[in-house]
Amino acid sequence: MITKEDNYFLTIIKSGSLSKAAEVLYISQPSLSKHIKHLEARLGVHLFNHDTKPLQINAAGEVYHQDLLETMRKEAQLLKNLQEANSYKRGSLHVGTPSFLGQYLLPKILPQFYAAYPNVTIHLQESGGTVLQSAVAAGDLDIAFVHIPITQANVGQITLSQSHILIAVPSQEPASSAQEKRHDVRIRPMDPRMLPDLLYCMPTPDQMLGKSAQRLFANLDIVPQVLIQSRNVLTSMNLVIAMGRGAVFVPSYIIPQLTSFFRDNLVFYRLDSPELEWDFSVLYNKNKVLSIFAQHLISVAKRTEWEFPA
């Protein structure tokens, strides 16, 4: 909290001199000097070059000045958050998520969020994890849900769960009758020795999915046979089904969203490999005060049971 002496200090900076600040504050100049000396004694440093006239702020004073300005900004934001929470005022929340993850994520958490804050508008950005992390770091997004390691110092991470990347190939065991089509998802263990013989519809290198696949191949010293590169997992799955061959890297969280067409025509393999495991996390900017809306959405996400096929 900003103290009375902090306010005196800020007034001196704004006024440009001790005498002008004293006039603004309606106190005597000697009294103002006494308060500043008390503040410096409490902090254990000089905030001004006292041998100069007019009084000039020093390096320590500038650090303290910037810290006070940031504290005031955070206090103002906190007060705004509390007022909004108390009055249910209309507000907004900027949230990011990859498109496929959003299909699984948003229906699970937004109904609970809107039950608490029905008048809040959510602005959704659907982009890749790297783009979303940069948007959080820049302050353009309040929070983002991603599968991505943190690379920016001012971005914090809360891990919600862990999921896997599966490898899908066309089924060679079509159901012989409609009765046999149960539309279940078949997930089987994969022998790594199968990998070199597969023809891959690869994610693009800038996607986290693509980076995970490339790390897998590099660690196993495999040069993959690539049919095509695509940013869209559904496009790749449709292609391998139409061709009757090929393999696709698939995030496990999209499995519940797949239609019976994909469930009937693909077999999903799980390879126990660290490269094909990733954390499902929410990102936030560590230098910003999270709004009451962002805090509530994170709380909802933390309470939600995330079940990813494995």
Side-chain angles (χ1 to χ4, degrees), residues 15-282:
S15 301
S17 73
L18 199 66
S19 59
K20 290 182 179 178
E23 292 178 5
V24 172
L25 295 167
Y26 296 99
I27 62 174
S28 67
Q29 186 171 326
S31 178
L32 180 57
S33 297
K34 182 179 179 181
H35 281 292
I36 293 303
K37 288 180 180 179
H38 184 270
L39 175 61
E40 290 178 326
R42 178 166 59 85
L43 296 175
V45 296
H46 287 297
L47 302 175
F48 296 96
N49 296 320
H50 291 279
D51 296 331
T52 62
K53 290 186 178 181
L55 202 62
Q56 293 181 351
I57 191 172
N58 61 20
E62 185 57 42
V63 170
Y64 192 60
H65 181 218
Q66 294 302 318
D67 184 75
L68 286 179
L69 293 178
E70 179 64 14
T71 299
M72 290 173 64
R73 186 192 66 79
K74 290 183 176 180
E75 287 184 357
Q77 181 65 52
L78 177 59
L79 181 60
K80 179 175 179 290
N81 292 343
L82 293 174
Q83 290 172 341
E84 289 176 341
N86 185 58
S87 63
Y88 281 71
K89 285 176 58 178
R90 293 186 179 276
S92 62
L93 183 62
H94 294 262
V95 178
T97 178
S99 179
F100 281 114
L101 178 58
Q103 294 178 35
Y104 174 73
L105 164 84
L106 298 179
K108 284 182 170 288
I109 62 175
L110 289 192
Q112 297 179 61
F113 175 82
Y114 280 126
Y117 295 106
N119 297 322
V120 173
T121 300
I122 291 183
H123 302 277
L124 182 64
Q125 178 177 334
E126 296 178 295
S127 303
T130 302
V131 173
L132 294 176
Q133 181 176 179
S134 296
V136 170
D140 298 327
L141 286 176
D142 296 302
I143 56 176
F145 296 93
V146 298
H147 287 286
I148 186 172
I150 301 303
T151 59
Q152 308 219 27
N154 67 327
V155 175
Q157 177 184 23
I158 300 172
T159 300
L160 300 173
S161 183
Q162 187 179 69
S163 64
H164 300 271
I165 301 171
L166 306 175
I167 300 176
V169 301
S171 174
Q172 303 302 317
E173 306 170 1
S176 59
S177 68
Q179 186 177 2
E180 293 179 0
K181 290 189 176 184
R182 297 188 303 272
H183 308 318
D184 59 330
V185 174
R186 290 162 281 179
I187 300 178
R188 304 173 181 177
M190 172 174 273
D191 187 336
R193 290 175 295 182
M194 295 174 57
L195 294 173
D197 298 328
L198 296 174
L199 182 64
Y200 294 93
C201 291
M202 286 288 290
T204 57
D206 63 310
Q207 293 177 280
M208 284 306 300
L209 199 62
K211 292 176 182 178
S212 297
Q214 292 293 353
R215 284 197 299 269
L216 173 70
F217 291 135
N219 288 341
L220 295 177
D221 198 24
I222 295 174
V223 178
Q225 305 176 64
V226 179
L227 172 65
I228 195 172
Q229 286 187 338
S230 174
R231 298 186 65 85
N232 191 302
V233 176
L234 293 180
T235 298
S236 297
M237 290 193 294
N238 271 307
L239 180 58
V240 299
I241 290 173
M243 295 183 62
R245 65 191 183 105
V248 183
F249 288 92
V250 178
S252 63
Y253 59 75
I254 77 168
I255 299 299
Q257 312 299 321
L258 294 180
T259 64
S260 58
F261 172 75
F262 292 109
R263 292 168 179 260
D264 290 337
N265 288 283
L266 291 171
V267 177
F268 296 88
Y269 287 94
R270 174 176 171 179
L271 185 66
D272 289 325
S273 170
E275 296 84 5
L276 298 186
E277 298 176 350
W278 50 6
D279 289 333
F280 166 42
S281 306
V282 56

